[in-house]
Amino acid sequence: MLFRSGHPGVLTPGRARAMLPAGDGLALPAPAPDWEAACFTTSGSTGRAKLAAHTHRSFASQIISAQHTCGGHTRETVLFPLPMCHVAFLGNVHAFLAQGRHFIGLPQFDPELAVRALRDERASWMVGTPAIWELIMRRVRLPDPGLRLRHLNCGGAPMSVESARLMQEAFRAPPGQTCGR
C-alpha cells in the first residue's frame, strides 16, 4: 500500500484518506481505550526482539505526545526506514500522518536507497535505530549536499555521545534520542 516495487513511496494524509472505501462501510462497535489495537515486533536493538501490543489509548497517546514534542512544520516529509512489522513503524506513521506530515516508506532497507529517498523527496526528518544510522554512515558518502535534514531521531538502544557527534557531522543536523532503555 505504501510503496511500488523497488521504489520508495510517499504517503500523505490525502492519499491515506483516498484509500478508504467510500460510504458508511461496515458498522463496528466503538473501541474501548484499553482494547488491544495491534501487535508488532521490536527490532531487538535493546536486547531480544519482543512482541509489543498497542492499545487504542497507546496509539492516541503517541499521537498526542508527538504533537507536543515533534514541533516543526506539518508539511515536513519524514523517512522511517524500519520494517512495517516494527512497533515504532506503525505508531509513528499514525503520529506523523495525524500531524499532516508526508511519510516515506521503503520496500526494504538499503543505505543508498534511504539517502536517495531523503534527497529526492526533500525529506527534512529521518527516524532510525543506531544500527540503521551506522550502516548509512559506513556505506554512503556523507555529508551529501543534496540532503535537507533538520531532524535526526535515533530510537532503540541508547546512542553514545560519539555516535551523536558523528551523526551531526555526517548529516549536518542535531540528532535526538527518541526512545531506548
Side-chain angles (χ1 to χ4, degrees):
M1 235 166 54
L2 295 177
F3 347 99
R4 292 187 198 124
S5 177
H7 299 286
V10 178
L11 182 62
T12 65
R15 286 185 188 163
R17 278 191 298 278
M19 287 190 254
L20 297 173
D24 292 338
L26 179 63
L28 297 173
D34 293 319
W35 283 4
E36 288 184 355
C39 290
F40 306 96
T41 63
T42 66
S43 62
S45 63
T46 60
R48 290 181 38 175
K50 299 171 267 320
L51 190 61
H54 255 303
T55 64
H56 293 274
R57 184 186 313 272
S58 66
F59 273 120
S61 294
Q62 192 166 15
I63 291 168
I64 292 165
S65 174
Q67 284 293 121
H68 293 286
T69 59
C70 294
H73 305 287
T74 58
R75 287 291 181 202
E76 289 181 307
T77 298
V78 182
L79 172 64
F80 200 96
L82 289 173
M84 291 176 69
C85 64
H86 192 280
V87 65
F89 182 93
L90 194 55
N92 280 284
V93 168
H94 283 93
F96 290 133
L97 291 177
Q99 295 170 345
R101 289 180 165 88
H102 295 190
F103 188 86
I104 305 170
L106 300 176
Q108 65 185 37
F109 177 71
D110 173 84
E112 281 113 17
L113 178 62
V115 171
R116 189 169 64 239
L118 289 168
R119 186 177 44 246
D120 293 353
E121 299 297 334
R122 303 179 62 81
S124 57
W125 198 325
M126 184 175 143
V127 179
T129 63
I132 285 175
W133 288 110
E134 288 173 23
L135 281 170
I136 291 173
M137 289 188 294
R138 262 192 260 138
R139 296 187 182 167
V140 179
R141 179 182 280 261
L142 296 168
D144 181 324
L147 295 181
R148 304 282 188 268
L149 288 170
R150 295 180 339 112
H151 308 281
L152 311 175
N153 290 106
C154 187
M159 176 178 28
S160 71
V161 171
E162 179 63 10
S163 293
R165 186 188 65 74
L166 292 172
M167 283 174 64
Q168 184 153 0
E169 281 179 14
F171 294 97
R172 297 183 178 152
Q177 182 80 36
T178 55
C179 63
R181 52 179 185 169

